[in-house]
Amino acid sequence: MHCGPPDMVCETKIVAAEDHEALPGAKKDALLAAAGAMWPPLPAAPGRAAAPPAPPPAPVAQPRGGAGGAGPPGGRGVCIREFRATEQEAARRIFYDGIMERIPNTAFRGLRQHPRAQLLYALLAALCFAVSRSLLLTCLVPAALLGLRYYYSRKVIRAYLECALHTDMADIEQYYMKPPGSCFWVAVLDGNVVGIVAARAHEEDNTVELLRMSVDSRFRGKGIAKALGRKVLEFAVVHNYSAVVLGTTAVKVAAHKLYESLGFRHMGASDHYVLPGMTLSLAERLFFQVRYHRYRLQLREE
């Protein structure tokens, strides 16, 4: 079963750099208006003269490289379209690289989100000084603790990757393109896949989950992630779902600003989320913490 709208709707061109503007309210009428602009207008009602066609818009000169010089080369845009089976390895590579980037972010930057861990590490340093009376040894304690955080972050995130690469990302065609209510899109630039995103329906509450969004680090800052997110919103509207939801453990502020710019509302966070691949050992609890954020974009009331 075809999991998305017709090809004419599924094709999206990015002609400008990221505008960082939120979808106004992100409600169904606004999204339908945007999607409806892709279809030819309906004929005029009987008995009324049709309005004369509007003159074609004047071409808009685009600065080379777009805003900030980050546009695609040669003025060509990025195409957002449905995944093809031949793009399996390219999609897996982008997903793998995007997740591996989270190792240092989780180990170091993520520590700021966990004051209890900070307090525990400070107490361990103080205990070390009280026992050894060595300032040098005490100064080495934070470095050792950060090293352990990196080791366990890498261990857990690689285990999570192994889990994902042997489940849904092992056969994208089978997992996302064949079941109804699911789909997988790629962003293509000059024939190369530079971004991915997936949608999976939850029929029990009539929602669609946005997941597996990632953009090649060499092509960020061009509005590709936002265009991928909008494709999922369009999919949800066309298939009459009531909301789009997502969960993320991303540490970078930019990721959360992206979701908010698309109209998502932050629904809460949890420090007790168990990431697939975690063993919940004592050492893992001491040196690996992750905060799970939930977002929701309500399209219509049930």
Side-chain angles (χ1 to χ4, degrees), residues 5-52:
D7 290 341
M8 182 170 68
V9 176
C10 197
E11 297 289 343
T12 301
K13 294 286 185 177
I14 303 175
V15 296
E18 177 101 49
D19 55 13
H20 298 289
E21 294 178 358
L23 295 174
K27 297 302 181 182
K28 181 178 177 181
D29 52 352
L31 288 167
L32 281 174
M38 301 180 183
W39 297 94
L42 295 173
R48 296 180 60 183

Side-chain angles (χ1 to χ4, degrees), residues 22-23 26 102 210-214 225-226 229 233 246-250 252-266 293-297:
L23 295 174
R102 296 191 179 187
L210 183 155
L211 65 167
R212 302 310 190 210
M213 181 188 283
S214 187
K226 179 173 279 189
L233 304 189
L246 68 88
T248 181
T249 58
K252 288 185 176 180
V253 174
H256 298 274
K257 286 186 176 180
L258 169 66
Y259 304 139
E260 292 169 358
S261 76
L262 286 166
F264 284 90
R265 179 183 176 187
H266 189 255
H293 298 266
R294 294 177 292 108
Y295 285 88
R296 183 182 183 94
L297 194 160

Side-chain angles (χ1 to χ4, degrees), residues 171-179:
D171 190 346
I172 296 171
E173 178 80 19
Q174 182 68 33
Y175 196 91
Y176 289 107
M177 304 305 292
K178 292 185 178 180

Side-chain angles (χ1 to χ4, degrees), residues 45-275:
R48 296 180 60 183
V60 178
Q62 294 289 341
R64 184 173 179 80
R76 286 172 288 184
V78 176
C79 174
I80 309 296
R81 60 164 172 77
E82 291 183 5
F83 167 85
R84 298 170 184 170
T86 55
E87 296 159 341
Q88 172 79 23
E89 289 308 312
R92 282 165 57 92
R93 175 188 59 79
I94 291 174
F95 172 71
Y96 178 90
D97 291 345
I99 296 298
M100 288 296 288
E101 288 178 9
R102 296 191 179 187
I103 293 175
N105 288 329
T106 302
F108 307 133
R109 191 181 299 182
L111 181 58
R112 293 181 297 181
Q113 299 179 348
H114 302 281
R116 290 183 180 178
Q118 295 177 41
L119 177 61
L120 175 62
Y121 297 165
L123 290 174
L124 288 174
L127 180 62
C128 176
F129 180 76
V131 172
S132 67
R133 294 296 175 179
S134 169
L135 188 60
L136 175 61
L137 188 60
T138 303
C139 290
L140 292 176
V141 170
L145 292 173
L146 289 176
L148 286 168
R149 283 188 64 84
Y150 183 86
Y151 171 80
Y152 279 98
S153 294
R154 188 174 186 274
K155 177 177 179 289
V156 173
I157 289 174
R158 286 183 66 88
Y160 165 74
L161 264 174
E162 281 297 307
C163 178
L165 292 173
H166 286 85
T167 51
D168 62 307
M169 295 301 291
D171 190 346
I172 296 171
E173 178 80 19
Q174 182 68 33
Y175 196 91
Y176 289 107
M177 304 305 292
K178 292 185 178 180
S182 297
C183 199
F184 197 100
W185 295 271
V186 294
V188 180
L189 174 63
D190 293 334
N192 299 312
V193 176
V194 298
I196 60 173
V197 73
R200 183 173 60 194
H202 298 283
E203 301 297 341
E204 63 274 12
D205 58 0
N206 196 36
T207 62
V208 167
E209 182 181 4
L210 183 155
L211 65 167
R212 302 310 190 210
M213 181 188 283
S214 187
V215 175
D216 190 314
S217 60
R218 298 170 295 175
F219 300 95
R220 292 173 187 166
K222 303 177 187 293
I224 296 174
K226 179 173 279 189
L228 288 165
R230 283 175 172 161
K231 180 58 68 176
V232 176
L233 304 189
E234 175 190 310
F235 175 84
V237 169
V238 170
H239 290 81
N240 207 33
Y241 289 101
S242 61
V244 182
V245 298
L246 68 88
T248 181
T249 58
V251 175
K252 288 185 176 180
V253 174
H256 298 274
K257 286 186 176 180
L258 169 66
Y259 304 139
E260 292 169 358
S261 76
L262 286 166
F264 284 90
R265 179 183 176 187
H266 189 255
M267 303 301 292
S270 172
D271 291 332
H272 305 292
Y273 178 72
V274 179
L275 195 70

